[in-house]
Amino acid sequence: MTSTGTVTVNGGPFALSHGVYSETIMKLSIIIPAFNEEDRIVNTLKQTFAYLESQPYQSEVLVISDGSHDRTGLVVGRFSPPEGVSLRFLEYHPNHGKGYAVRYGML
């Protein structure tokens, strides 16, 4: 039997397509590299979420702290993303640069 739709399997959403289960695919992932951004990340996240909440697809925002020494992680942790958008914060030390942060978020 061939079907399409979304079902819940083991507590998570899975897509049912052509009779085969697979994890729901994220349509868009946005990686935001951050180094000591506690004063600027609020505006960035507000604008990003404003755009994403108007989109009809699943998306995620990954904020990658590139060895920050400020409270970037605490500021990001205060945000509640809109429905259909996930927010993750990843951090490492010491600072390795923007390219490393983007690659770290992709892997």
Side-chain angles (χ1 to χ4, degrees), residues 3-95:
S3 301
T4 59
T6 301
V7 295
T8 299
V9 177
N10 294 332
F14 284 75
L16 178 60
S17 179
H18 305 292
V20 178
Y21 290 105
S22 64
E23 288 189 42
T24 300
I25 297 175
M26 195 67 56
K27 174 80 172 179
L28 177 66
S29 296
I30 296 176
I31 299 171
I32 301 174
F35 178 71
N36 295 335
E37 296 289 328
E38 75 174 293
D39 294 332
R40 292 176 293 280
I41 198 73
V42 170
N43 190 44
T44 299
L45 289 174
K46 283 181 180 179
Q47 289 181 13
T48 303
F49 289 155
Y51 170 77
L52 293 175
E53 71 183 340
S54 68
Q55 303 309 309
Y57 47 77
Q58 294 283 332
S59 59
E60 66 180 345
V61 175
L62 294 93
V63 177
I64 314 298
S65 175
D66 182 28
S68 295
H69 301 290
D70 65 358
R71 299 178 313 156
T72 299
L74 293 173
V75 173
V76 171
R78 292 183 187 142
F79 275 85
S80 295
E83 190 172 328
V85 180
S86 67
L87 173 63
R88 292 194 296 158
F89 177 79
L90 303 173
E91 184 172 43
Y92 58 81
H93 291 275
N95 175 279

